[in-house]
Amino acid sequence: MMPQRIRLQHEAAVRHPTSIIGCQVRREPPNSTQRYTRWINQLAPDQLLTQVFTSHGPTVVMPTWFCSRAWFSHVGPFDEGGRGVPEDLLFFYNHLRRGGGVVRVDQSLLLYRFRPGAATQAILESTIWTHRVCFLEERALRHWATFTIWSAGRQGRRLYRSLSEGARRKVIAFCDVDKKKIKKGFYCYEEAQERPKPRVPILHFRAARPPFVICVKLAPLQGPRLGHVLVEDVISTGLEIRHLRTGTSSAMLGMALRCWLLAHARGANLEKSPNYGESRSTLRTPSRDQGWS
């Protein structure tokens, strides 16, 4: 821990009493979880809230957290269920549910050591996925009448199968850029109990209707195909595109609220926006290598 950490984070906590205050970190060894480290250090202030659905987990890493005792007590204690429980993720979600904000002091104030045998390595990816999908449904999907899943690939289909029955019924289509997937025309949910089994259309992305849940990696969003198209579409709405900047991470954007923002810009009729505490930038901006420790 750097000697100025407590002072700087305390000053930020006084200004933001209902926020978790994080900071940038320096990794040890320096080359461990490089993409994840870039992600937690380089997120823009608004992205600390708009990227809470990604596979990386909390947008400020738990060893850097700083908040008042009063706010900690308001949110509630950590889940002490033991090995295999993502207690930081669960606390972070509860914090957001109670209207908390997320702030990062943009100085490297912590030496963040990577240990291959850390307890967090025992947390199953499937456990984290289940919590993420539930949080996505709670905070976004329940406000939408219908939506499109962007990606007819493995992650898009996995998301569809993981949704509750009510949320699955809201999926009007998959969309993609892959000609083979589009040519197939539909995805059949073989595990479904109902008859006939649901067949969800697979459309070219330009024919799809927002809002979207985007299930592609961040890195391809910078690429010459999908990245160019998304930037072009977002610019046409007059919105900022900070979330598309190069080099933020290649983590799976299984859940991204920027899809809500894009939908909002295109005139989708949404009942209400989720409450994300102090920041309101999500209303105007569209917006883990594995290893949380």
Side-chain angles (χ1 to χ4, degrees), residues 179-187 199-203:
K179 293 180 180 179
K180 291 182 179 179
K181 294 185 178 72
I182 297 168
K183 185 177 181 180
K184 183 178 179 181
F186 65 90
Y187 166 67
R199 290 191 173 195
V200 184
I202 301 175
L203 307 176

Side-chain angles (χ1 to χ4, degrees), residues 142-157:
R142 72 185 183 92
H143 300 292
W144 298 351
T146 61
F147 64 95
T148 299
I149 296 177
W150 191 311
S151 175
R154 181 173 60 89
Q155 287 294 325
R157 298 193 305 269

Side-chain angles (χ1 to χ4, degrees), residues 74-94:
H74 177 69
V75 173
F78 281 98
D79 186 323
E80 300 293 345
R83 191 174 179 84
V85 174
E87 70 278 1
D88 57 341
L89 182 66
L90 299 180
F91 185 93
F92 189 71
Y93 284 169
N94 284 335

Side-chain angles (χ1 to χ4, degrees), residues 28 45 59 65 80 103 127 145 149 153 160 191 202 224 235 278:
E28 180 63 36
T59 49
W65 288 2
E80 300 293 345
V103 174
T127 299
I149 296 177
Y160 178 84
E191 294 87 350
I202 301 175
I235 288 176
E278 297 174 357

Side-chain angles (χ1 to χ4, degrees), residues 166-179:
R168 275 199 305 271
R169 293 183 183 279
K170 295 182 178 184
V171 179
I172 54 174
F174 292 89
C175 70
D176 213 292
V177 297
D178 188 318
K179 293 180 180 179

Side-chain angles (χ1 to χ4, degrees), residues 165 169 188-199:
E165 182 178 351
R169 293 183 183 279
C188 181
Y189 181 35
E190 297 290 351
E191 294 87 350
Q193 299 300 312
E194 67 257 42
R195 296 293 185 272
K197 296 179 179 181
R199 290 191 173 195

Side-chain angles (χ1 to χ4, degrees), residues 30-271:
N31 62 346
S32 57
T33 62
Q34 290 176 312
R35 290 177 296 187
Y36 174 57
T37 303
R38 283 196 300 271
W39 184 77
I40 59 177
N41 282 338
Q42 296 178 4
L43 288 174
D46 62 296
Q47 291 177 316
L48 297 176
L49 290 174
T50 60
Q51 292 207 13
V52 298
F53 297 99
T54 69
S55 62
H56 277 332
T59 49
V60 287
V61 65
M62 195 265 276
T64 72
W65 288 2
F66 190 108
C67 67
S68 70
R69 167 66 67 176
W71 183 252
F72 177 86
S73 299
H74 177 69
V75 173
F78 281 98
D79 186 323
E80 300 293 345
R83 191 174 179 84
V85 174
E87 70 278 1
D88 57 341
L89 182 66
L90 299 180
F91 185 93
F92 189 71
Y93 284 169
N94 284 335
H95 164 77
L96 296 175
R97 289 183 180 107
R98 292 184 176 272
V102 185
V103 174
R104 187 186 65 223
V105 175
D106 286 334
Q107 294 187 39
S108 181
L109 303 177
L110 183 75
L111 181 63
Y112 187 28
R113 289 184 175 86
F114 173 76
R115 294 185 298 109
T120 53
Q121 302 300 315
I123 301 174
L124 298 177
E125 187 275 339
S126 59
T127 299
I128 297 170
W129 173 268
T130 298
H131 288 298
R132 290 171 57 211
V133 172
C134 290
F135 192 66
L136 175 70
E137 289 198 27
E138 171 194 331
R139 303 295 287 179
L141 302 187
R142 72 185 183 92
H143 300 292
W144 298 351
T146 61
F147 64 95
T148 299
I149 296 177
W150 191 311
S151 175
R154 181 173 60 89
Q155 287 294 325
R157 298 193 305 269
R158 182 189 183 191
L159 172 63
Y160 178 84
R161 294 192 301 268
S162 301
L163 294 172
S164 66
E165 182 178 351
R168 275 199 305 271
R169 293 183 183 279
K170 295 182 178 184
V171 179
I172 54 174
F174 292 89
C175 70
D176 213 292
V177 297
D178 188 318
K179 293 180 180 179
K180 291 182 179 179
K181 294 185 178 72
I182 297 168
K183 185 177 181 180
K184 183 178 179 181
F186 65 90
Y187 166 67
C188 181
Y189 181 35
E190 297 290 351
E191 294 87 350
Q193 299 300 312
E194 67 257 42
R195 296 293 185 272
K197 296 179 179 181
R199 290 191 173 195
V200 184
I202 301 175
L203 307 176
H204 188 276
F205 70 93
R206 292 197 183 277
R209 289 167 44 199
F212 302 100
V213 175
I214 301 176
C215 297
V216 297
K217 294 181 180 181
L218 254 177
L221 295 179
Q222 275 61 270
R225 298 174 64 200
L226 179 59
H228 175 76
V229 169
L230 276 180
V231 170
E232 181 181 82
D233 284 355
V234 172
I235 288 176
S236 71
T237 69
L239 299 183
E240 300 172 40
I241 55 172
R242 284 176 290 171
H243 66 287
L244 294 179
R245 72 183 189 275
T246 302
T248 51
S249 171
S250 64
M252 181 61 67
L253 269 185
M255 330 296 182
L257 248 197
R258 59 202 175 84
C259 54
W260 181 86
L261 299 155
L262 183 57
H264 187 73
R266 290 178 173 177
N269 182 21
L270 307 182
E271 296 177 10

